[in-house]
Amino acid sequence: MKFSRQTTLRSQATVTGVGVHSGRPASLTIGPADINAGFIFVRTGLDGADREVRANAKAVIATELATVLGDGDGALVSTAEHVLAALRGMGVDNAIIEADGPEVPIMDGSAAPFVAAIEQAGIREQSAPRRYIQVLKPVQVAIGDSFGELRPNPRGFRTEIEIDFANPMIGRQRFCCDLDPETFRRDVCRARTFGSMTDVTRLWSLGYALGASFENSIVFDETRMLNTEGLRYTDECVRHKVLDAIGDLALAGLPLLGTYRSVRGGHKLNHAVLTALLDDHKAWRVVEAEPARRQRPQAEAAGGMVGGMIAPAYGPDVS
């Protein structure tokens, strides 16, 4: 990890598509935010004033089919995980995210369109040092046959994700990566959401997934992939689970210094592990990158690690 300051966007960028569950048109605009703002969703298009919610673990009100954020008056925005993954994966710390409907547009089912929007808007440094949540001890959660844990990793954020589906076209897959913008852009962001034809049919009958299609989802039956264009990665399904985990764990409010491992997980498990971490104040602390002026010239010239780069911040408040 290198010395770094907080970042935000240089300008605004907008994407439009449909909501994966409603099938209705949806528009989302990402733009600059102040230092220490984190990610703030602003729901527009409501009767009366716009409503906003800070993207953190306390704002999660549902995790069944997607990560849904809301406030005391109810849900505000669903399927927040893909745009959050793009922001965190590309190294953005502070952003305003305006949504004109109840869902973030599903786009092509991946985070790539949001990465393109971030690159269009541009990223700029801010004057304050970047802050992190450093995992100090392992935190584990089991839900049925699903298991997740966060454990210390002072060098950065790493994911170790394993899936195991009965559908033989998906089966068991595992993917690990150390998160940085280049890795996220190359290895993770293009992985699309996926499911079986029986799942899609069941969700349609319940009034969900009305916007799902072969243009935004990978669909399998028991013997083949039904999309004609094929996979973007041979293990695209598990890479999408990595993408989801990055987005769900962005709800920590700050980048994590830790390793996240999950087996047969999903949004519910991701949120449960993050909540377990944040509820145990002995399991984490807020730290910040030392100012660049404290770099040793020889280390800076070599582009190497500098010992003692991370210094404790002023307390556990990350709100």
Side-chain angles (χ1 to χ4, degrees):
M1 187 186 313
K2 299 178 180 179
F3 287 86
S4 61
R5 297 182 182 273
Q6 292 182 37
T7 62
T8 191
L9 301 176
R10 292 185 179 275
S11 61
Q12 290 186 328
T14 299
V15 299
T16 58
V18 299
V20 68
H21 291 304
S22 69
R24 297 170 58 184
S27 177
L28 181 138
T29 299
I30 54 175
D34 293 336
I35 289 169
N36 295 331
F39 304 137
I40 299 174
F41 280 88
V42 178
R43 172 69 188 281
T44 64
L46 297 168
D47 293 334
D50 297 340
R51 288 160 58 192
E52 68 177 47
V53 60
R54 188 180 296 273
N56 60 36
K58 294 180 181 179
V60 175
I61 63 172
T63 57
E64 187 62 32
L65 298 173
T67 296
V68 182
L69 306 181
D71 57 18
D73 293 324
L76 285 177
V77 61
S78 177
T79 323
E81 60 272 11
H82 296 174
V83 66
L84 289 174
L87 288 163
R88 181 65 76 223
M90 294 300 292
V92 178
D93 295 290
N94 305 305
I96 302 292
I97 309 155
E98 298 181 6
D100 69 355
E103 294 178 87
V104 171
I106 191 62
M107 307 308 290
D108 69 349
S110 79
F114 302 113
V115 168
I118 291 166
E119 292 178 329
Q120 176 188 335
I123 300 173
R124 65 176 177 87
E125 275 196 341
Q126 297 174 289
S127 60
R130 176 172 285 159
R131 299 189 304 158
Y132 302 85
I133 290 178
Q134 182 181 20
V135 179
L136 300 177
K137 66 177 185 178
V139 173
Q140 302 175 339
V141 173
I143 303 175
D145 63 354
S146 300
F147 171 82
E149 70 171 348
L150 276 164
R151 61 180 188 268
N153 178 7
R155 296 181 63 87
F157 179 64
R158 177 177 173 83
T159 58
E160 299 174 353
I161 308 297
E162 182 178 325
I163 61 174
D164 189 3
F165 283 80
N167 186 313
M169 295 304 300
I170 304 173
R172 185 175 182 179
Q173 300 177 18
R174 188 170 188 265
F175 187 77
C176 304
C177 72
D178 296 296
L179 185 64
D180 60 62
E182 180 180 354
T183 299
F184 181 78
R185 186 190 297 107
R186 182 188 65 232
D187 296 337
V188 177
C189 84
R190 297 178 63 247
R192 297 161 292 176
T193 191
F194 64 93
S196 68
M197 196 63 213
T198 55
D199 291 335
V200 174
T201 303
R202 177 179 60 83
L203 291 172
W204 281 342
S205 71
L206 296 173
Y208 296 106
L210 301 179
S213 70
F214 291 125
E215 283 70 46
N216 57 42
S217 305
I218 306 170
V219 184
F220 300 94
D221 64 16
E222 293 299 312
T223 61
R224 62 192 176 101
M225 176 183 175
L226 302 182
N227 306 63
T228 58
E229 74 276 14
L231 293 170
R232 295 176 176 177
Y233 311 95
T234 57
D235 54 356
E236 188 169 354
C237 294
V238 70
R239 293 188 193 222
H240 186 79
K241 287 290 189 177
V242 171
L243 189 160
D244 280 345
I246 292 168
D248 288 339
L249 295 180
L251 295 167
L254 297 173
L256 289 168
L257 297 178
T259 294
Y260 180 60
R261 174 174 173 253
S262 78
V263 179
R264 303 183 188 91
H267 301 301
K268 182 177 181 179
L269 180 69
N270 297 340
H271 181 249
V273 175
L274 179 59
T275 299
L277 174 76
L278 297 178
D279 283 348
D280 183 354
H281 282 196
K282 294 183 179 179
W284 59 278
R285 65 174 179 170
V286 175
V287 297
E288 65 181 33
E290 293 182 352
R293 58 184 169 79
R294 295 178 63 181
Q295 292 190 40
R296 293 195 298 267
Q298 64 271 29
E300 182 179 11
M305 299 284 291
V306 178
M309 183 192 73
I310 300 299
Y314 296 105
D317 184 9
V318 296
S319 61

